[in-house]
Structure formats: C-alpha cells, structure tokens
Amino acid sequence: MPGLLLQPLTRAVTYTRWLHLLVGVIVPLVCGAVFPGLSDPSPYDWLLIAVLPLPLVLAAALVPSIRRAEGLQARLMLFPGPHARAGSDEDPGVSTAPAASWSDRARTGAWLVLRMEAGLALTLVTNTLLALALAFAGAAAGEPGRVFPFPCSTGTGWAYALLVPVPVLVLVLIAAGAGALMTRAARRLLGPSVKERLAALEKRTEDLLERNQIARELHDTLGHALTLAVVQAGAARTAGDPEFTDRALEAIEETGRAALEDLDRVLLVLRESGRPAAARPALDEAARLLDSARSSGARIDAEVTGALDRVPGPVSREAYRMLQEALTNVLRHAGPVRIGVRISVDAARLRLEVRNPLPGTAPAAGSAGGAGGGGGRGLRGIRERATLLGGEARAGRDGGDWLLAVELPL
C-alpha cells in the first residue's frame, strides 16, 4: 500500500500533468493582475479572478484551431510518451482536429473553463502546501514565529524537521489525482466527435478493403500463372515430343514473365499508397489472358462486341480479374479444353461469359465450373467482385457446358 501511494512520485507524467494544470492559470492571473489586483487578495477577490476571464475563454473556444491546440497539448502533457520516458500503445482518445461543429466548440469551451478553474484551484493548493512546508522548515530552524503561526517549544525543532516532507508528499498526491481526473475529462471533452469517429471507421474499412483487394490480386495473378505452368508441363511430359516441349517451355516462360509484371504492379500499389489504381491491368489487355490460355493448349473462341475503352476503370479492372480467374479455373479443373469467351459492352452494362464443356462425371463438372481451389474460393471471389460493383455473377450447367455469366452496370 505505501508503495502504491508513492508510485506517482516516480512517474514523470505526474509532473507534466501538474505543469499542464498550472499553465492553465495564466489567463485568470493576468486578468486578476488588472482587476482586482493580486496584492493580498481576499476570498472575494479570488472568486472574481475565477469568474472574470470566463467570457474571454468561451469566446476563444469559438475559434476552430483552439480545439486543435488544446488537443495537441493534452496529448503531449497528459499521457505517457517520450517526454515522460515511458512508452504507451494506448490510444489517447483525444482529437487533434479543428472544431467542425457547434458541439465541438461547446465541448472545447467546457474544457477550457475546467482547465482554467482546476489550474487556479491547484495553484492555490500548491502555494498553501509549499508555504506550510517552508513553515515547518522555519520552525525546525528555531524561528517558528516568522513563518509558522503556531507556537513551538524550545528544543523541538527536530520534530518540525520530520514534518517538512509531509505537505510536499500530500501536494504531489493531490496533483497526481487532479492530473488523472483531467486526463479522463480530456478524453470526454476533447475526444473525437461522432463525425470524426465515422471518418476513422471509414478509413479503417477502406484499409481492410484495400488489403482484401491486394490479396485477391495476388491470388488471381499467381494462381493463373501457376495453373498454366502446371498444364503446360503436364502436356509436355505426356506428349513426349521435343518440339512440343520447346513450345510448352516457351509458353511457361512467357506466362511467368507476365505474372512477374502483374506481381510488380500489385506490390507497387502496396508500397506506394499514392499509386493510382489505374496501374493495374484492365479489360483492354484481355488478349494477353486469351493468348496465355491458348499457349496451354486450350482452344479459345473469343467474341468481343462494343467499345472496351468506354468501360469505367474500376469495372474494367475487376472484369479483367474475373476473366483471369474464370480461365484459371477452367484450365485447373477441366484442362486444355475448348473455351468460349464472350465480352459485350452496351450503353448500360458489361456482360462477360465464359463457357467450357463439362467432363463426363458430375463431381468433375462441379469442379470445372470455376469453383477454384480451396473450397470454391475462385467462384466466390468472382461473385464478391461483382456484388461490390452492383452487378451479379451466375455459374451453373447450361446444356452440356458449364457457363459463368457476369453482368456489371456501367
């Protein structure tokens, strides 16, 4: 228990909070120096000193930047940090943004008044207790009457010397308690407004969506390249033809080079937050995907109608990834079969269809339908992309074929 009481003495933040409160008394002391004066003030004079600056303080709270200044001071002085030789991962919960509403201004005004009055009260307590400590020291020196009004017997100075630390210890404990209360008040009065909390939540949501987007980009790019490489290598091993093997190795090389380019694009977006999303491949580069699928032995029948350059950037980039994922799933689960690709653009919608023949058994048909590895992640990813863009993706049997159809609004 004694150690708990003495703990505030060893914490630097105790003294920064104390200083923060004492700085708040500057305004009332300056006003009190003008009127009613600080020479031997009476209790009534101290009341005037506490009340007179209120209009000035409340007027200052109307200035938006005052809230920012108070928030920065509170973060620096009231919470542990490098200045206090103590690290802390705790969020201070204090805003450093200018006041953006009347509610912010009202809370800032309440904070300024609280800080001023609490600082004035702590200043009076500090002066009183330090004077008491000096009085005990004077009594211990044999001159009690000069600074200490109570009589003391001759030869009892050692007893007063033992009392000298008591007012100082009490003062530090009072300052520590006042600082802790002001820290809690700062979180309530200078904490982020509802609007700021919503903005922070939106930013965190955007960060999570960006991470998911990057994960999808990596999944699509690497999955497509590895699937083509596996198909090519298997076909070359089965064929046993040196000429075909050379073509397969060339196709694997080209696919790997394209995958590295895509990977560099994705990682560049990750490294540079200001990198525009337009750096990612879009639907007008679909020919590269179709060529890589043809190089694996698949027979691609492609039909493109409408102007791809009319498709908005976000829709075009997501449609490219959907086509990439669809081709990857067909090659992964059905092999190098005939694949029909149809892309049409009209005034309002983009339509993407990928069709491939179903294998003979039902389980294979399900896997050939773009379910992708890992429990249907491929088809689920396509549906998620379509939903985020306000469109829809459907997949299922269509006669003897498996059909993936995507519609996206423009």
Side-chain angles (χ1 to χ4, degrees):
M1 188 67 179
L4 186 62
L5 290 176
L6 295 178
Q7 186 179 5
L9 291 171
T10 62
R11 300 183 64 201
V13 73
T14 297
Y15 302 97
T16 60
R17 290 171 176 174
W18 192 354
L19 178 60
H20 184 263
L21 282 169
L22 294 182
V23 170
V25 81
I26 292 177
V27 173
L29 289 184
V30 170
C31 293
V34 177
F35 178 82
L38 297 177
S39 59
D40 194 23
S42 65
Y44 176 74
D45 292 334
W46 283 117
L47 180 61
L48 283 179
I49 292 172
V51 172
L52 287 177
L54 288 179
L56 178 63
V57 170
L58 293 176
L62 299 178
V63 180
S65 58
I66 293 295
R67 181 175 180 80
R68 176 180 176 83
E70 290 296 320
L72 290 172
Q73 288 184 61
R75 282 196 172 196
L76 177 64
M77 305 292 284
L78 297 181
F79 298 91
H83 65 284
R85 300 178 186 175
S88 176
D89 296 331
E90 180 185 5
D91 181 12
V94 173
S95 174
T96 57
S101 65
W102 286 108
S103 175
D104 290 346
R105 293 179 175 88
R107 291 195 298 152
T108 303
W111 165 256
L112 290 175
V113 171
L114 177 62
R115 182 183 175 190
M116 182 184 70
E117 304 299 352
L120 182 59
L122 185 59
T123 299
L124 295 177
V125 171
T126 300
N127 290 338
T128 302
L129 291 179
L130 288 181
L132 183 59
L134 292 175
F136 284 137
E143 299 179 353
R146 297 180 60 180
V147 291
F148 191 57
F150 302 112
C152 65
S153 302
T154 305
T156 58
W158 61 271
Y160 291 105
L162 295 177
L163 293 176
V164 170
V166 175
V168 178
L169 178 60
V170 172
L171 176 58
V172 174
L173 294 177
I174 292 176
L181 292 176
M182 289 299 292
T183 301
R184 295 181 63 181
R187 287 194 176 101
R188 294 184 63 87
L189 298 177
L190 296 179
S193 62
V194 175
K195 183 178 180 181
E196 290 170 339
R197 288 193 181 97
L198 287 176
L201 179 60
E202 289 176 358
K203 186 178 185 305
R204 285 195 295 271
T205 303
E206 289 176 359
D207 291 341
L208 289 176
L209 289 175
E210 184 178 4
R211 291 183 182 183
N212 290 336
Q213 179 68 26
I214 291 172
R216 284 179 181 147
E217 295 282 342
L218 292 175
H219 169 269
D220 294 344
T221 298
L222 298 181
H224 179 73
L226 292 175
T227 298
L228 289 179
V230 170
V231 172
Q232 289 280 8
R237 180 173 55 83
T238 303
D241 182 359
E243 183 178 354
F244 182 84
T245 300
D246 289 340
R247 290 198 304 270
L249 291 175
E250 182 181 357
I252 292 174
E253 180 183 1
E254 293 176 356
T255 302
R257 186 178 295 110
L260 287 176
E261 292 177 0
D262 280 350
L263 184 61
D264 285 341
R265 288 175 176 176
V266 174
L267 294 180
L268 190 59
V269 172
L270 181 62
R271 289 193 298 266
E272 302 178 12
S273 58
R275 180 77 173 177
R280 306 203 315 267
L283 197 57
D284 54 6
E285 300 180 46
R288 190 181 70 176
L289 289 178
L290 301 179
D291 289 340
S292 64
R294 289 189 181 100
S295 67
S296 68
R299 297 178 300 279
I300 306 294
D301 298 327
E303 178 185 352
V304 179
T305 57
L308 295 181
D309 55 0
R310 290 187 55 252
V311 180
V315 178
S316 182
R317 290 187 289 271
E318 293 301 316
Y320 176 92
R321 292 304 183 191
M322 294 179 194
L323 176 60
Q324 184 182 52
E325 182 66 24
L327 294 175
T328 301
N329 289 329
V330 173
L331 292 173
R332 179 183 297 148
H333 299 290
V337 298
R338 177 181 54 82
I339 304 175
V341 177
R342 180 173 177 268
I343 304 173
S344 65
V345 180
D346 57 29
R349 301 181 86 70
L350 165 68
R351 292 178 175 84
L352 170 65
E353 293 183 0
V354 179
R355 180 188 297 270
N356 64 278
L358 285 169
T361 60
S367 64
R377 178 65 186 86
L379 182 56
R380 185 167 65 249
I382 292 175
R383 285 172 173 161
E384 289 175 357
R385 290 178 186 272
T387 301
L388 287 174
L389 293 172
E392 62 176 343
R394 303 182 305 276
R397 288 177 176 270
D398 185 31
D401 295 337
W402 180 273
L403 175 64
L404 169 68
V406 179
E407 290 191 7
L408 303 175
L410 301 183

